[in-house]
Amino acid sequence: MTRAKVARVSLPTVVWATAWVSFFADVSTELIYGVLPAYYLGTLSLSIVWLGVIEGGAETLVSLTKLFSGSLSDRTGHRKVWMLAGYGLSTLAKPLLALTTTGVGVGTLRGADRLGKGVRGAPRDALVGGAVDEEQRGRAFGVQRSLDHAGALVGGLLAAGLLAAALVTPRDLFVISVIPGAIAVLIIALFVRETAGNRKGKAVFSPIGAWRGAAPGLRRFLLPAGLFALANSSDMLLLALSYQRFVASGMSEAIALGQLPLLWALLHVVRSAGAAWGGSMSDRVGRLVMLRVAWGVYALAYAIAAWMAAGGPAWLAWVVFAGYGMHAALGEGPERALIADLETDPTRRGTAYGLVSFLTGLIALPATVLTAWVWQTYGGAWAFGADAAIVLVALAALGVVGRRG
């Protein structure tokens, strides 16, 4: 199939169905995400390190779970059941946050929410990657990521509007989040179908077994992916930095709190607007080209965050989140497509996505806790500046992959 013909071929229904699932699931997630930093630091009086432990641990759980859910979906040849389980668990966990007032309680429920994400992520990506030809993968994942971020935008704006109008409290948002989450589960049940010809494979439940069975190119990709993960501390730290700088600039705590969902919305405006384009461009110019550009933008955004932490103006938060969103728009679709390209055995793609996520998840908790500790001990400028420097090393390491997307 030529690239000209590929551009005119419609994406399969399953791609659009999973994209709309992501849309509503992210509405649910982002209704609460923007208020969590202030909830941790203000309502619960937790420290920055505690915030890092909770969010880093939650994201680690996401990634570690993906190896096993991806392997199970390979073994059974079914992806949908794991999507239902994962999205269902997240939908149930979020409203329960309204009932807890302790760091341990919040950490447990955030863990359950993120466990749901881990259960669903690799099977969903394997389903999308197997539904299209290689020439369309960037576009398919770009569309999926675009609607995902559009949902995050809607959720962030809805949260900001409800808070600004004083119609809800953060705890009310936790309860409201169940509505879009339930819609996502309903779409899976009614519209998501297994990819035609999907075959059962051999489950690999250990990281060593997954490593040994992975394609050589995929194994080489783990080095730069791991280095990048070391610099990819929780997004919650950027929100916490912004909140602190807003208050330090003279804003009241209430106004500063209201800015956080708007910052998060800006991030997803940029992500949603550029994700489909970024994925499609990787079909033309190559996955690694787009990843290099995306990671370079990430390094620049974190360098600006370091400047802001060192006493730079609070309005730099808007620049940081716009840059961070651009990184995601340019890199998320191409990276997912690259993994499917590198793992040529379709019966092992769930495991492939899980293996990459397992590695990055193993690093996520120490990366976040280390960044939080450096921030608390030496200052935010050192913490975010170090992350920017590590990304430059990861950029150089992309050369070992040695494969055009």
Side-chain angles (χ1 to χ4, degrees), residues 228 289-299 326-328 330-332:
F228 183 80
V289 171
M290 296 304 295
L291 271 185
R292 288 188 178 100
V293 174
W295 289 9
V297 171
Y298 183 101
M326 186 178 298
H327 143 261
L330 298 178
E332 286 183 347

Side-chain angles (χ1 to χ4, degrees), residues 36 123 284 348 360:
L36 282 175
R284 301 179 184 178
R348 293 188 54 85
T360 57

